[in-house]
Amino acid sequence: MTKRSRISLALCICLAFATLAPMTARGDILSLAVGRDNQCWDYKPAEKGFARRINRARVNAGALKLKLDPELSKAARKHTREMWQADELFHTPSEKLRNRVTNWTILGENVGVGGTVSSLHTAFMNSQGHKDNILYPTYRHVGIGVAEKNGRMWVTVIFEAVVDPGTPLRMPRC
């Protein structure tokens, strides 16, 4: 299998873990506000761009907006860095993801590599598994990690359904 085939195949794979029954209560529309639990997190413009596109797609489908979460974003950035260092697209191994994200009920992950936020979001929406993750109504939080290398954008998007996901990873201090 060629590297391009592996990348295409990996882009079509999505990941979701379930440990409890999905929450079904629908609350008020959540904003794209930064989580209160880590005010010092600095989102990259591309990460905010993915969040806006994801939330636009969710609203158009009748789902609630997701809150951009700094702890999930830290875990997403860590995985993105691992992918671009290996120059290979792959999902976070289940055990590693479970250790990077705490206080979770349901996790989902989309990974991709491409040219721009727009082209990657379009690819996600054209892939049923990725689109299902983006539109899954139970998710309430999203973490996004973007890195660019040699003109290619690498991204990890982690979705979560609990009130306040966390991470044991070192976060910035204010």
Side-chain angles (χ1 to χ4, degrees):
M1 182 180 291
T2 68
K3 187 173 189 176
R4 182 178 213 111
S5 297
R6 285 193 316 266
I7 290 173
S8 296
L9 177 63
L11 187 58
C12 293
I13 299 170
C14 71
L15 171 69
F17 303 102
T19 58
L20 301 174
M23 299 183 310
T24 57
R26 292 180 66 102
D28 294 332
I29 296 216
L30 300 173
S31 71
L32 185 59
V34 174
R36 291 175 299 212
D37 49 346
N38 201 309
Q39 298 289 335
C40 297
W41 188 257
D42 189 24
Y43 293 99
K44 297 176 183 178
E47 293 165 346
K48 290 178 185 177
F50 274 108
R52 280 191 297 274
R53 288 175 184 273
I54 287 167
N55 278 333
R56 190 175 312 128
R58 288 177 63 84
V59 167
N60 289 342
L64 297 176
K65 289 183 179 181
L66 300 176
K67 181 178 177 183
L68 191 53
D69 185 84
E71 284 83 8
L72 288 177
S73 294
K74 174 72 174 196
R77 276 190 192 171
K78 184 166 183 66
H79 182 66
T80 297
R81 187 172 40 254
E82 291 169 347
M83 289 190 304
W84 74 253
Q85 285 174 339
D87 199 25
E88 185 177 347
L89 189 65
F90 55 91
H91 284 282
T92 309
S94 301
E95 194 59 35
K96 203 177 260 192
L97 187 58
R98 285 184 188 108
N99 289 330
R100 289 180 181 170
V101 179
T102 60
N103 305 326
W104 58 274
T105 303
I106 299 172
L107 289 175
E109 180 183 71
N110 287 352
V111 300
V113 61
T116 64
V117 171
S118 178
S119 67
L120 282 163
H121 179 74
T122 298
F124 285 154
M125 293 305 288
N126 288 330
S127 163
Q128 192 61 52
H130 291 94
K131 182 177 179 179
D132 289 348
N133 264 348
I134 290 168
L135 301 180
Y136 189 63
T138 302
Y139 291 140
R140 296 293 180 262
H141 300 270
V142 66
I144 302 167
V146 171
E148 294 188 51
K149 179 180 180 183
N150 299 328
R152 296 171 67 198
M153 180 177 289
W154 297 78
V155 63
T156 302
V157 183
I158 301 175
F159 303 92
E160 205 285 321
V162 80
V163 175
D164 186 16
T167 185
L169 300 173
R170 184 183 303 250
M171 297 296 293
R173 290 187 178 190
C174 295

